[in-house]
Amino acid sequence: MSFPKGFLWGGATAANQCEGAWNVDGKGMTVSDASTAGTLTEPRYTTYLTNDGKPGKAIMLEELPEGAHRAVLDGYYYPYHKGIDFYHHYKEDIALFAEMGFKIFRMSISWARIFPKGIEEEPNQAGLDFYRNVFEELKKYDIEPLVTIFHYDLPVHLEEELGGWNNRELIDCFEKYTRVLFKEYNGLVKYWLTFNEINSPILLRNYLPNYSDSMVREAIQTLHNQFVASARAVRAAHGTNPEMMVGCMLGGTCSYPLTSNPDDVLANQKRLQDDFYYCCDTMVRGEYPFFAQRLWDEYDMKLVTKPQDFIDLKEGKVDMITFSYYSTGCITVDENAEKAKGNFTTGAKNPYLKYSEWGWSIDGKGLRYFLNELYGRYQLPLMVVENGLGAVDTLEEDGSVHDPYRIAYTKEHVLAMHDAILDGVNLLAYTYWGCIDLVSASTGEMKKRYGFIYVDRDNDGSGTLKRYKKDSFYWYKKVIASNGEDVD
Ligand code: BG6
């Protein structure tokens, strides 16, 4: 037996990718509300109006022209606007999670439901009520909520009028938002995550071709402001209720040197420092790591800080480390090596691994390796809060969905966690990503399905939104019932 009694099995989602109801009950507009649908080959765009009212679009992760305002335009399809309508289906969906035996459910709160612009004096009661109802529904089935406070959906006002996370005012806005949440949901929510994949701003330099040094400098400043915001949230949570456990959440950029060439080994070490440990060390230890100055010098970065920031960082160290893990990458100095795709794990193709239809490597053993690395470095409890396979599923006429590929993928990762726990790693939870089909973040598709539950909705927004149980639903139910021992 490996998984400890009380191990938290569950699934994960994010507000913008599943809730829909993008403009109801007082919710404000977020940056992701202006994201169009894309495909594997066609990027997602952010649509906008220029200062003089001309419509335009920019690739989602790129900068908009000076003075442009995000706008919803005719002739585009915005898949987040309806999502899978979790907003109106949450009772039905939670009942299905309970049927699988979930012990924990990871979800995010949309900041703009609570503070529509992010700056109001008083929170929006309808937004607070919605999440209270969701948490109470979860409690009915003894499912612990694991709440991400910020998952890629900044209120537009904070981005456009205040300049986004480069402006320190957002630290105060975020602190106010988090204090409201901790007070409001004290007793209902024990587990919190501050920023989803906080390392993502720095990762963009690896795969956006026109990501300039000045954009990297902005990313480093954004990270500083978010570290301080996160630390203040941790302190506020502990002040509200010492039982609350607050974690950092990082994109798990596990990578290997492509060869035993020492140059590849050093390049991989540097990549891990810059992409992962820079954030994780700071949030766990409450101070920047030894190699931070080397990174700053490389980009000629003059970090803007205040003396109080360093006190906040020390007083707001996280209680646990959580991360997403989908695939691994290979790092090499050889520019001619064949390139691989992945959400964050870019780099060279690994000849020992298989790749998904979206080109992401499948590497269960890498999860065991990564869990050991993280526990060895920090000795803090860990949670795998995203892991899963995006694939094309077929809904059969009888309402069944046969997805042996998803079962195989998940089994590989469950076995890896099993081994890591036997290695001595303290792993608290596993929340499978997209436990119910939802809109893909990178491509905006519905076709890229992760769920154990199929949702009848297509790339163009057609479909009944009816839910169906896939084969993996019954498989995961068995895994949970046996506490991870029966995976066949
Ligand atoms: C993670 C994000 O990076 O990857 C999720 O936190 C996202 O929001 C997930 O959905 C899977 O990526 P995608 O692009 O397949 O949806």
Side-chain angles (χ1 to χ4, degrees):
M1 301 288 271
S2 63
F3 290 96
K5 197 165 170 277
F7 184 79
L8 296 165
W9 296 95
T13 60
N16 58 352
Q17 292 172 255
C18 73
E19 279 177 7
W22 73 288
N23 59 357
V24 308
D25 292 341
K27 177 180 168 291
M29 184 169 170
T30 73
V31 292
S32 56
D33 291 325
S35 298
T36 65
T39 64
L40 184 56
T41 46
E42 173 75 7
R44 297 189 77 177
Y45 294 102
T46 293
T47 52
Y48 60 80
L49 289 173
T50 58
N51 250 346
D52 49 0
K54 289 206 186 70
K57 60 177 185 182
I59 292 180
M60 194 169 74
L61 296 170
E62 288 176 346
E63 289 196 326
L64 266 53
E66 191 70 34
H69 289 283
R70 281 164 185 76
V72 171
L73 304 176
D74 288 343
Y76 291 95
Y77 172 59
Y78 300 89
Y80 286 163
H81 288 189
K82 188 123 182 145
I84 55 158
D85 202 23
F86 178 79
Y87 196 77
H88 298 108
H89 288 72
Y90 71 89
K91 288 192 178 169
E92 177 188 350
D93 294 343
I94 291 171
L96 288 165
F97 301 153
E99 192 183 329
M100 273 188 278
F102 277 24
K103 315 286 178 220
I104 193 164
F105 174 55
R106 176 176 175 228
M107 52 179 276
S108 73
I109 288 183
S110 179
W111 191 341
R113 279 199 202 285
I114 309 300
F115 289 103
K117 288 184 169 176
I119 52 160
E120 292 81 354
E121 280 302 310
E122 295 301 323
N124 170 32
Q125 192 57 43
L128 290 174
D129 291 346
F130 169 66
Y131 292 109
R132 171 172 291 279
N133 292 340
V134 173
F135 299 145
E136 283 174 351
E137 194 67 19
L138 289 167
K139 283 280 151 176
K140 240 169 75 179
Y141 299 101
D142 283 330
I143 301 175
E144 285 286 347
L146 166 62
V147 176
T148 318
I149 298 170
F150 179 74
H151 194 127
Y152 296 147
D153 57 352
L154 193 66
V156 156
H157 182 89
L158 295 182
E159 181 65 38
E160 294 183 351
E161 306 306 320
L162 272 69
W165 276 106
N166 259 266
N167 183 347
R168 293 184 57 99
E169 272 183 57
L170 264 74
I171 302 175
D172 299 323
C173 298
F174 186 79
E175 182 173 7
K176 188 163 134 201
Y177 164 50
T178 58
R179 282 183 183 278
V180 166
L181 299 185
F182 299 142
K183 185 162 166 259
E184 182 74 22
Y185 304 124
N186 188 11
L188 273 175
V189 180
K190 173 178 175 186
Y191 300 108
W192 298 89
L193 307 177
T194 50
F195 289 82
N196 182 63
E197 295 181 328
I198 192 166
N199 49 342
S200 53
I202 189 99
L203 299 178
L204 297 182
R205 78 192 190 292
N206 297 331
Y207 54 91
L208 288 186
N210 50 358
Y211 210 65
S212 61
D213 282 7
S214 84
M215 287 161 100
V216 177
R217 284 193 287 276
E218 274 187 31
I220 293 174
Q221 188 62 53
T222 282
L223 286 179
H224 178 77
N225 297 351
Q226 292 187 345
F227 293 152
V228 175
S230 172
R232 287 202 206 165
V234 175
R235 194 174 49 203
H238 292 160
T240 309
N241 181 345
E243 299 274 291
M244 284 186 186
M245 277 187 84
V246 190
C248 54
M249 192 309 193
L250 286 97
T253 56
C254 178
S255 63
Y256 313 121
L258 182 66
T259 71
S260 50
N261 176 349
D263 286 335
D264 281 0
V265 176
L266 279 170
N268 183 52
Q269 182 179 60
K270 178 172 182 301
R271 182 62 84 84
L272 279 166
Q273 287 182 344
D274 297 355
D275 283 3
F276 193 90
Y277 293 124
Y278 177 75
C279 295
C280 206
D281 285 3
T282 308
M283 297 178 88
V284 169
R285 298 174 176 155
E287 60 186 25
Y288 280 106
F290 69 91
F291 55 83
Q293 191 64 49
R294 191 259 306 141
L295 175 69
W296 299 333
D297 289 347
E298 203 175 314
Y299 291 98
D300 201 15
M301 176 73 203
K302 309 269 177 297
L303 202 62
V304 179
T305 64
K306 288 191 173 171
Q308 179 63 33
D309 294 353
F310 299 97
I311 299 168
D312 292 342
L313 290 178
K314 272 279 174 222
E315 291 180 357
K317 293 188 266 185
V318 292
D319 304 307
M320 58 184 182
I321 297 163
T322 83
F323 61 95
S324 59
Y325 179 95
Y326 292 92
S327 55
T328 53
C330 288
I331 305 302
T332 178
V333 291
D334 175 4
E335 288 176 2
N336 297 320
E338 193 189 350
K339 301 254 181 320
K341 289 206 170 84
N343 61 341
F344 294 134
T345 48
T346 46
K349 195 151 186 179
N350 188 331
Y352 298 97
L353 298 178
K354 294 211 171 72
Y355 284 78
S356 80
E357 284 169 270
W358 272 262
W360 298 17
S361 69
I362 299 176
D363 184 11
K365 288 188 181 144
L367 179 57
R368 175 183 184 180
Y369 166 76
F370 201 47
L371 284 166
N372 271 275
E373 284 297 297
L374 297 184
Y375 196 59
R377 190 175 180 116
Y378 301 114
Q379 291 91 44
L380 270 193
L382 303 173
M383 287 187 179
V384 178
V385 296
E386 280 188 37
N387 171 245
L389 180 72
V392 177
D393 292 326
T394 309
L395 179 65
E396 307 291 347
E397 280 192 0
D398 63 358
S400 60
V401 177
H402 306 302
D403 56 346
Y405 35 88
R406 184 167 294 107
I407 294 174
Y409 176 99
T410 315
K411 176 178 171 180
E412 205 179 307
H413 291 81
V414 169
L415 288 174
M417 291 187 292
H418 180 281
D419 292 343
I421 292 170
L422 290 179
D423 292 334
V425 168
N426 180 6
L427 182 63
L428 298 181
Y430 174 69
T431 56
Y432 176 92
W433 174 254
C435 47
I436 179 164
D437 290 346
L438 37 66
V439 179
S440 155
S442 58
T443 67
E445 294 166 289
M446 272 308 296
K447 179 178 146 195
K448 188 180 188 191
R449 297 175 181 276
Y450 284 86
F452 300 134
I453 301 164
Y454 184 96
V455 178
D456 179 21
R457 187 161 176 80
D458 296 329
N459 276 0
D460 60 3
S462 56
T464 59
L465 286 170
K466 203 168 165 233
R467 277 67 169 149
Y468 297 86
K469 298 171 198 169
K470 302 183 193 176
D471 288 355
S472 54
F473 179 100
Y474 301 101
W475 173 82
Y476 196 47
K477 182 176 176 178
K478 197 175 62 173
V479 172
I480 297 178
S482 64
N483 201 22
E485 295 307 316
D486 185 359
V487 294
D488 292 322

